[in-house]
Amino acid sequence: QQPVQSPQAVILREGEDAVINCSSSKALYSVHWYRQKHGEAPVFLMILLKGGEQKGHDKISASFNEKKQQSSLYLTASQLSYSGTYFCGTGEYNTDKLIFGTGTRLQVFP
Amino acid sequence: EAQVTQNPRYLITVTGKKLTVTCSQNMNHEYMSWYRQDPGLGLRQIYYSMNVEVTDKGDVPEGYKVSRKEKRNFPLILESPSPNQTSLYFCASADNQETQYFGPGTRLLVL
C-alpha cells in the first residue's frame, strides 16, 4: 500500500516555509525523498535510515519518526527553484521494494 | 558522465505488438528498477533487480517482464501491450538501494 502524502498541493511565496508529510501503515526501514520538476526525471534529495534521524542540506531537511511510521520534509525560506512535485518512497523490513507516495505538488511564486 | 539511459524516449504502438524498452547505466550499480508514473498515482515499482540474474516483482508487475543478464542493462519487456499500459516509464539504478538515479523516462502510448 502506498504511503500517504499530505498536503497534495502547496502554494507558497518566495521566502515562506512548507512541511510535507509522509505516513505509512507499515513499519518502515527507510524513507527516501525525491523532487521531480515538470517534464523531468525525479532527483534524489535524501534518505533517512534510522528512527529519529534528521538530515538536511541547504534549507531542505527531513525527519523520520519510526514509531509513528512517518516522515516530514521541511522546506525553509523557499526559493523559486523548489517548485516541483515531491515524492516520498518508503522501504519496509524484509523486502527490497521501494513504494512511493502519490506526490505533493509545490509551487513557489515570486 | 554518470548516467542512466533509456531507449526509446517516445513510443507509439498497437495492442498486442511486443516491445522492449532498454535501460543502461554506467555507474556499476548493482540495484536497478523500473517504475511507471501515472497522473494521481505517483511512481509505482514494476520490477527490480538486486544483481545480475536476480529479479523480483514490485507492486505492479502484471503484463511486464524483465531480465538482468549483465550488470549495466535492465530491459523492460511488454509481451502483449494493452492500452492500460500507456504510461511514463522510468528506469533507475542505485548503489545499495540508497540514492536512486533515474533515467530520462520513456513515454509509451498503446493504441
Side-chain angles (χ1 to χ4, degrees):
Chain A
Q1 191 172 0
Q2 287 180 282
V4 176
Q5 287 186 235
S6 62
Q8 288 185 313
V10 185
I11 298 175
L12 298 173
R13 291 279 181 199
E14 255 186 308
E16 291 181 337
D17 302 339
V19 180
I20 299 171
N21 299 304
C22 174
S23 291
S24 175
S25 59
K26 302 198 174 181
L28 300 178
Y29 170 76
S30 64
V31 179
H32 307 223
W33 286 98
Y34 287 80
R35 176 172 63 209
Q36 183 179 30
K37 292 187 179 285
H38 184 69
E40 298 180 9
V43 173
F44 174 82
L45 292 175
M46 64 190 79
I47 179 174
L48 300 108
L49 291 171
K50 290 185 286 189
E53 184 173 17
Q54 295 193 28
K55 272 190 179 177
H57 56 84
D58 291 332
K59 292 175 181 168
I60 300 176
S61 61
S63 63
F64 177 21
N65 187 324
E66 194 177 11
K67 284 185 181 175
K68 291 186 178 178
Q69 297 167 187
Q70 65 185 37
S71 175
S72 295
L73 185 72
Y74 307 93
L75 298 105
T76 306
S78 58
Q79 305 167 18
L80 295 176
S81 61
Y82 287 5
S83 293
T85 300
Y86 290 78
F87 292 99
C88 69
T90 53
E92 298 165 16
Y93 289 95
N94 301 316
T95 176
D96 297 310
K97 289 184 190 179
L98 185 63
I99 303 175
F100 283 90
T102 54
T104 294
R105 189 170 178 181
L106 182 85
Q107 284 185 282
V108 182
F109 289 96
Chain B
E1 181 192 351
Q3 60 182 354
V4 178
T5 56
Q6 293 179 227
N7 281 293
R9 295 288 313 280
Y10 303 92
L11 181 60
I12 301 175
T13 189
V14 295
T15 298
K17 186 175 181 184
K18 181 180 177 180
L19 66 92
T20 299
V21 184
T22 64
C23 172
S24 184
Q25 51 97 1
N26 62 2
M27 295 170 278
N28 203 36
H29 286 163
E30 293 183 345
Y31 183 90
M32 296 186 75
S33 182
W34 275 103
Y35 299 90
R36 61 177 289 174
Q37 185 172 29
D38 303 288
L41 297 177
L43 290 155
R44 292 181 293 166
Q45 193 173 41
I46 303 171
Y47 270 94
Y48 63 95
S49 169
M50 299 294 291
N51 213 327
V52 175
E53 302 292 1
V54 180
T55 62
D56 273 300
K57 295 178 181 179
D59 264 3
V60 289
E62 296 78 20
Y64 304 95
K65 282 174 59 175
V66 293
S67 69
R68 188 90 183 273
K69 294 190 172 68
E70 306 164 281
K71 201 170 190 179
R72 63 183 291 124
N73 296 324
F74 191 44
L76 180 70
I77 303 154
L78 284 72
E79 296 266 3
S80 183
S82 62
N84 64 12
Q85 292 178 297
T86 291
S87 187
L88 176 59
Y89 291 87
F90 286 104
C91 177
S93 74
D95 197 7
N96 295 323
Q97 298 168 256
E98 295 203 1
T99 306
Q100 292 206 35
Y101 295 88
F102 282 80
T106 294
R107 196 168 287 279
L108 172 67
L109 172 61
V110 184
L111 300 171

